Amino acid sequence: MDMRTTIETLTAEADQQIRDQAWIPTPIDQAIAAKAAADLDAAIGSRDAQAALPAIERLEHLRAALAALAISLAHVHGRLAWFLGATATALTPVLQWRALNPDGGPAFGTIQPTPQQYTDAEESIRRIQAALTHVAAP
């Protein structure tokens, strides 16, 4: 399953659990979800703004978003932690990406992503942001 499909599946599950009241976010969950959503929004700009950036900046923004998820994960337990952990895991290919040419030397197993891979990762983060906004809603 690709990153975008995995994120769609996870966010749909989160939405369903909230609708079914299997997951009733606590006030702490809501506050952390709101902060994480804001951090993701700050890390990943609009589609047009991101697409106009050089690859190195796009990768920097993606890594900042992944860091925001990890920091949020460190502060919660239960369903929100499970959701954040699963979304962060789905985004781990970003950690193997590089924007710089290794100039013939070792590159620690990194790869240069395609423009479409950048776009897919950015769209995945926007979807996570939307789901977290839903979790944060009272």
Side-chain angles (χ1 to χ4, degrees), residues 29-41 68 71-72 132 136:
D29 286 347
Q30 291 172 322
I32 291 172
K35 171 84 167 87
D39 290 346
L40 293 179
D41 188 51
I71 290 167
S72 297
L132 289 168

Side-chain angles (χ1 to χ4, degrees), residues 47-121:
R47 287 172 185 85
D48 292 339
Q50 286 299 118
L53 293 173
I56 197 163
E57 289 184 38
R58 288 179 85 175
L59 185 53
E60 178 183 321
H61 291 194
L62 288 166
R63 289 176 180 160
L66 190 52
L69 289 172
I71 290 167
S72 297
L73 175 60
H75 298 286
V76 294
H77 304 284
R79 292 184 193 272
L80 182 56
W82 304 337
F83 175 71
L84 291 171
T87 58
T89 298
L91 293 170
T92 58
V94 169
L95 298 175
Q96 296 173 327
W97 294 354
R98 63 177 161 77
L100 300 175
N101 186 334
D103 295 324
F108 301 99
T110 60
I111 60 164
Q112 273 189 299
T114 66
Q116 186 60 49
Q117 286 174 304
Y118 280 116
T119 299
D120 287 348

